[in-house]
Amino acid sequence: FAGAARFALHSLRRADGLIVPSGFLRQVFAGFGCEAQVIPNIIDLTRFQPRQAEHGRPDPHVIVTRNLEPLYDIPTALRAFAAVHQQLPQARLTVAGSGPELANLQQLASGLGIAAAVEFCGRIDNDRMNALYASADLMLNPSTVDNMPISILEAFASGVPVVSTDVGGVPFVAEHQRTALLVPAGDAQAMAAAMLQILQNADFARQLADAGLAEVQAYAWPVVREQWL
């Protein structure tokens, strides 16, 4: 991000104003003495519908929608899910993404004893993502670096509770204990505890889902359009 900031600052030095898509990037540019205004990226809310399934099911479905690359730290997600699986043996995990770490992650899932409960389904086309979210009871974002993850907004729009690491721009999109639960990066124990807090408490899960659904309205085009104008 620092390298990108230097390049963009050099490129936009003569501009009257700088616009960035997240509060995180505004902080990055501020470190170079450049003030910026935030106009967020948008999400097409017509693509997603709030899920109808009941929270607190005995067979919860957890999803991860990040690629299989080191910066997204899928191993911590697997370790956290393994702890959850001990408490909720009917739970299952779907990892929707592609990348070079697939074989290592499959081996780790086998070593953790959760291979039968984990599906690596590969990359899913955009027009099928809504069905994945509709089947989910929780979305897990384990990344170690992030700016403005659209996957969190997609979960919000689908009425799916979120557990995420608190890195980069995530706290600017998701508020701990109100729209999501945020945990330190790489902390599988904290991640598992947060997941169980949601999966074993239907009222709390519904509260997070409702708050996320209300929050995501701010990222719809009719709202963001007015900011651009």
Side-chain angles (χ1 to χ4, degrees), residues 83-100:
V84 169
H85 196 258
Q86 290 182 348
Q87 300 293 321
L88 300 171
Q90 296 183 64
R92 57 194 177 95
L93 171 67
T94 297
V95 182
S98 60

Side-chain angles (χ1 to χ4, degrees), residues 2-186:
R6 291 190 187 95
F7 175 78
L9 185 57
H10 175 75
S11 301
L12 299 172
R13 185 172 300 164
R14 296 178 183 274
D16 292 331
L18 181 63
I19 294 175
V20 295
S22 71
F24 174 58
L25 285 184
R26 178 168 60 184
Q27 286 188 342
V28 171
F29 280 105
F32 294 90
C34 183
E35 294 185 2
Q37 177 185 352
V38 176
I39 299 182
N41 293 325
I42 63 172
I43 178 172
D44 182 0
L45 296 181
T46 64
R47 291 179 50 221
F48 303 94
Q49 298 296 325
R51 64 191 297 277
Q52 300 299 316
E54 287 296 319
H55 297 287
R57 297 187 305 165
D59 58 342
H61 182 204
V62 179
I63 63 172
V64 175
T65 57
R66 307 310 296 259
N67 281 334
L68 313 184
E69 301 172 12
L71 76 162
Y72 295 123
D73 196 12
I74 308 300
T76 293
L78 292 177
R79 294 185 180 98
F81 178 76
V84 169
H85 196 258
Q86 290 182 348
Q87 300 293 321
L88 300 171
Q90 296 183 64
R92 57 194 177 95
L93 171 67
T94 297
V95 182
S98 60
E101 293 297 307
L102 176 59
N104 291 335
L105 294 171
Q106 290 174 325
Q107 184 177 8
L108 176 59
S110 179
L112 291 169
I114 56 172
V118 178
E119 178 185 6
F120 294 94
C121 67
R123 188 175 183 86
I124 293 182
D125 294 336
N126 284 338
D127 59 357
R128 295 171 52 214
M129 287 299 294
N130 59 334
L132 177 65
Y133 283 105
S135 72
D137 297 279
L138 185 149
M139 194 279 280
L140 183 60
N141 177 47
S143 61
T144 61
V145 177
D146 242 322
N147 176 28
M148 183 189 168
I150 294 296
S151 57
I152 289 181
L153 298 183
E154 292 175 340
F156 285 174
S158 304
V160 177
V162 171
V163 171
S164 175
T165 52
D166 59 0
V167 300
V170 171
F172 293 91
V173 176
E175 182 179 343
H176 182 55
Q177 293 284 359
R178 187 179 72 85
T179 60
L181 292 184
L182 305 183
V183 299

